[in-house]
Amino acid sequence: MDILEKVSALALDILMEQGADDAVVTAGESVTNEFTLAEDEFTLFRTLTGHSMSLTVIKDHRKGSIAINSFEEEDIRKAAEDCMEVAAAGVPDEAWQLNPVPETGSYSWGVRVPDIPLFFDRCAELKETIAKEYPKILITELCTEHKGGRSIYRNSKGAVFRSEGGSYGIGIDMAGNDGENTSSFFYTGVDTVDLTVPLIDQDTIRRDLEAAENSIDTVPVEGKFTGTIVMEPGCAADFILSALGQFAGEGSLIEGTSIWKDKLGEMVASPLLTVSAAPLDDRTLGGERWTGEGFISEDYDVIKDGKLESFMMSLYGANKTGLQRSKNTSGSFIIEPGDKSIDEMIKSVENGLLVGRFSGGSPSVNGDFSGVAKNAFRIEHGRITNAVSETMISGNLADMLKNICAISKEYSTGGELIPWVAAEGIVISGK
């Protein structure tokens, strides 16, 4: 019998024998091939294999979970005992439930078995191209990996899900350096299943390299003003998905602190904004195919053309609040691209910033935020003028969503799909 089939069935049987009312077991195996570039040389190549297993029980309306990295029966039995003890120490909550329907499914995605020679050649090509075309880039570390694997999910209601797949990943820590001065830290990378295209031409790698080179010399922003920020994909994801988590997530809805708790079906954002939780979309990689509660995952819109269409709610959250369960619990979000190019967006900004990263504390309950714009550039009269040194930006997340004025047709991909997003009404503070 296949090892995953065997150990997942064994673990589920043990949990039920030990008195669980309901139980969930997920078992997986992975193979990771990685090599690392440090100080301009490839210094490491290794293949790592791993086993993982997570156990969850519900007993007397108490929930317990535990994870191990062994498939040995002795270890599984010990983990099951520990899992039951965790549950026994928990607080009873009748909202802990599984899908009563025994759903099943098998899924395959990406590239489970890598082409290592081609991957190595592409990584070497990437390094050589950066050295030739971006001489002011200082790479502190270039990490590459292919991670493939498979997993199986079982629960006591009879649900069984199987999945296998894999993808290539590249991450570059870097800075701009002209021999005398160095920019702040930059990061770029890509997750991909396509090696037919040079890595440097995938996702936002070239734009990130150019930004790092252009950030060596910075100029402080003078004074304080209200302007427009154009957020690069990573920054846009931080702000917009943070807002969704805070206002549409089950945590704030259970606690009753969400300012959107009575806004379902109402406009909460610019009509330009559509955000979907879409793990099945072909533009994302390796998205969720089932939930931990045993439901088959489906795509759904959180915000559609500015209107709040759904809260982000598990079965547990739905049971706690009386609201409808959402169709997945993934982090595979898509911010639907717009119809303007990045250059067109920048040309429309009279006074503001292009922001690569945001460094700040957690927003307040009502969404107020304040922090430092990192990897940022001044925009004046429709053009980028210079990189800026430590510059504060502040505003309110809910207002920011309403004040979105443009979304790019270009986007960054991987586990999520995120375009460039521009928002007006942001307070920008310099010296």
Side-chain angles (χ1 to χ4, degrees):
M1 179 185 290
D2 176 86
I3 184 64
L4 295 186
E5 301 283 349
K6 178 181 178 180
V7 298
S8 61
L10 172 64
L12 187 61
D13 287 344
I14 292 172
L15 290 171
M16 301 308 293
E17 289 169 3
Q18 293 189 4
D21 296 328
D22 274 309
V24 176
V25 174
T26 301
E29 60 180 11
S30 63
V31 179
T32 302
N33 293 279
E34 63 179 35
F35 39 95
T36 301
L37 173 73
E39 298 181 354
D40 208 35
E41 296 291 338
F42 285 108
T43 59
L44 170 71
F45 176 80
R46 62 182 178 179
T47 299
L48 304 173
T49 60
H51 291 158
S52 62
M53 179 177 287
S54 64
L55 310 177
T56 297
V57 298
I58 300 172
K59 172 67 174 176
D60 297 329
H61 306 299
R62 294 176 168 89
K63 181 182 177 183
S65 296
I66 199 165
I68 59 173
N69 57 8
S70 171
F71 287 170
E72 296 297 325
E73 182 173 347
E74 180 181 354
D75 295 328
I76 294 173
R77 289 189 178 279
K78 177 60 167 62
E81 292 173 2
D82 293 343
C83 193
M84 295 296 293
E85 290 179 3
V86 172
V91 177
D93 191 335
E94 293 187 8
W96 295 120
Q97 294 178 9
L98 300 180
N99 178 13
V101 179
E103 302 192 90
T104 61
S106 295
Y107 311 97
S108 180
W109 65 276
V111 181
R112 183 183 168 194
V113 179
D115 185 337
I116 292 298
L118 177 57
F119 187 35
F120 188 91
D121 288 345
R122 283 301 193 196
C123 291
E125 174 188 54
L126 173 64
K127 179 179 78 75
E128 292 166 4
T129 305
I130 292 174
K132 179 180 178 180
E133 299 184 16
Y134 301 91
K136 294 181 181 180
I137 290 296
L138 174 65
I139 296 177
T140 55
E141 189 170 48
L142 189 158
C143 297
T144 66
E145 70 172 18
H146 174 275
K147 188 170 185 178
R150 59 194 187 101
S151 65
I152 183 170
Y153 167 105
R154 294 181 185 275
N155 71 28
S156 54
K157 301 298 187 184
V160 182
F161 300 108
R162 301 172 180 86
S163 178
E164 65 176 14
S167 63
Y168 302 95
I170 302 94
I172 304 173
D173 293 333
M174 62 181 180
N177 180 275
D178 62 4
E180 295 182 2
N181 300 311
T182 301
S183 74
S184 62
F185 161 81
F186 276 75
Y187 173 85
T188 190
V190 64
D191 291 313
T192 184
V193 296
D194 184 10
L195 295 183
T196 64
V197 178
L199 296 173
I200 198 166
D201 294 321
Q202 298 198 35
D203 211 57
T204 63
I205 291 181
R206 280 194 181 276
R207 291 190 65 91
D208 296 337
L209 291 166
E210 292 169 2
E213 280 199 327
N214 292 331
S215 295
I216 297 171
D217 298 313
T218 60
V219 176
V221 172
E222 298 290 338
K224 179 178 180 179
F225 63 95
T226 298
T228 300
I229 62 171
V230 178
M231 297 171 277
E232 296 199 20
C235 182
D238 285 346
F239 276 114
I240 294 174
L241 301 185
S242 175
L244 295 191
Q246 187 146 335
F247 304 145
E250 69 177 38
S252 62
L253 289 160
I254 290 172
E255 294 170 2
T257 60
S258 169
I259 63 173
W260 287 356
K261 62 180 181 293
D262 301 316
K263 300 290 187 181
L264 201 62
E266 298 183 17
M267 296 293 290
V268 296
S270 162
L272 297 175
L273 184 66
T274 292
V275 186
S276 305
L280 278 64
D281 193 291
D282 290 339
R283 295 172 294 179
T284 63
L285 291 178
E288 173 192 279
R289 292 299 187 269
W290 63 82
T291 75
E293 296 159 326
F295 294 93
I296 293 176
S297 299
E298 302 176 64
D299 295 345
Y300 73 96
D301 295 325
V302 183
I303 293 175
K304 176 71 172 178
D305 300 330
K307 182 186 293 185
L308 181 62
E309 295 284 347
S310 176
F311 293 122
M312 300 186 298
M313 194 73 59
S314 68
L315 176 61
Y316 173 80
N319 289 339
K320 292 291 286 186
T321 61
L323 297 168
Q324 185 175 357
R325 180 187 69 84
S326 58
K327 295 180 180 179
N328 69 68
T329 56
S330 77
S332 299
F333 288 99
I334 289 178
I335 298 175
E336 200 62 37
D339 59 1
K340 289 188 176 182
S341 69
I342 302 166
D343 290 341
E344 288 174 327
M345 290 172 63
I346 291 171
K347 286 178 182 178
S348 69
V349 176
E350 182 66 20
N351 200 10
L353 295 176
L354 173 66
V355 184
R357 291 190 292 124
F358 174 77
S359 177
S362 298
S364 65
V365 172
N366 73 341
D368 288 341
F369 68 86
S370 180
V372 180
K374 297 285 190 177
N375 306 146
F377 295 83
R378 189 79 161 87
I379 304 175
E380 297 178 279
H381 309 301
R383 68 184 187 91
I384 295 175
T385 56
N386 51 261
V388 300
S389 53
E390 302 291 288
T391 301
M392 299 290 293
I393 57 175
S394 58
N396 177 275
L397 291 178
D399 291 340
M400 173 187 279
L401 297 192
K402 293 178 180 178
N403 292 334
I404 288 173
C405 55
I407 298 177
S408 71
K409 57 187 176 184
E410 301 95 336
Y411 53 82
S412 174
T413 59
E416 300 172 333
L417 187 153
I418 312 291
W420 281 251
V421 179
E424 300 170 328
I426 304 300
V427 178
I428 299 169
S429 307
K431 294 176 60 178

